[in-house]
Amino acid sequence: MKKIFFSLAFAAIALYASNFSNAIRAYKSQNYKEAKEFFELAVEEGSVQAKYFLGLFYLNGMGTQKDLDKAEKFFLEAKKIGNARANCYLAQIYLEKGNANIKKIKKLLKEGLQSGARECSTIAQKYNINLN
């Protein structure tokens, strides 16, 4: 019985790793539609990091239509598990939507920068946000 359980558990882990790995491979090859499909499978299997990538896909319209609401949802989930770059892109979404105050945006960008996410600096410069 233990052998069967461990075999099934190993197969599930291998499948999860395979979908995420396939997604990364497709992403690096700029095959965004295929990458998005693999990231979606990885999310269904429990990959939290795949949510960050899906946020990027919806934010930038890669392999799908641009959808700021979906991007926000995925970045909020990635932020919950400590993905610092998600802060940067949440700030960008709020700037593009025009529905958040500047204090909230600056806070997200500063938190991201403090955690080492250089993307926050790029976004601050792009939108002329002074972080001092």
Side-chain angles (χ1 to χ4, degrees):
M1 186 69 164
K2 283 184 178 180
K3 273 187 171 180
I4 293 172
F5 173 76
F6 286 117
S7 295
L8 290 174
F10 180 75
I13 290 168
L15 180 63
Y16 160 74
S18 177
N19 282 324
F20 190 81
S21 296
N22 287 336
I24 294 295
R25 234 182 326 279
Y27 176 75
K28 287 181 178 179
S29 299
Q30 297 181 348
N31 186 346
Y32 299 127
K33 185 175 175 142
E34 182 179 317
K36 180 182 165 285
E37 292 171 6
F38 279 119
F39 282 128
E40 287 171 340
L41 290 172
V43 165
E44 287 176 18
E45 297 164 355
S47 171
V48 183
Q49 289 302 329
K51 292 177 182 183
Y52 165 79
F53 284 97
L54 286 173
L56 284 178
F57 280 57
Y58 284 109
L59 174 61
N60 297 307
M62 300 182 321
T64 188
Q65 291 290 321
K66 183 173 182 164
D67 187 327
L68 295 179
D69 291 329
K70 286 184 181 177
E72 180 181 6
K73 174 187 161 240
F74 285 116
F75 285 131
L76 284 170
E77 292 177 26
K79 183 182 184 309
K80 283 181 189 174
I81 59 115
N83 187 312
R85 294 180 293 179
N87 287 359
C88 309
Y89 294 115
L90 282 168
Q92 180 177 339
I93 289 167
Y94 299 146
L95 285 161
E96 288 188 23
K97 283 183 168 184
N99 68 351
N101 67 40
I102 197 68
K103 284 184 181 180
K104 180 178 181 179
I105 291 167
K106 284 184 176 184
K107 182 179 181 208
L108 285 166
L109 292 171
K110 286 179 181 180
E111 286 175 1
L113 277 172
Q114 288 172 350
S115 297
R118 288 182 251 132
E119 294 88 344
C120 288
S121 179
T122 303
I123 291 167
Q125 289 173 355
K126 178 180 177 181
Y127 292 93
N128 296 316
I129 306 290
N130 184 351
L131 297 179
N132 296 323

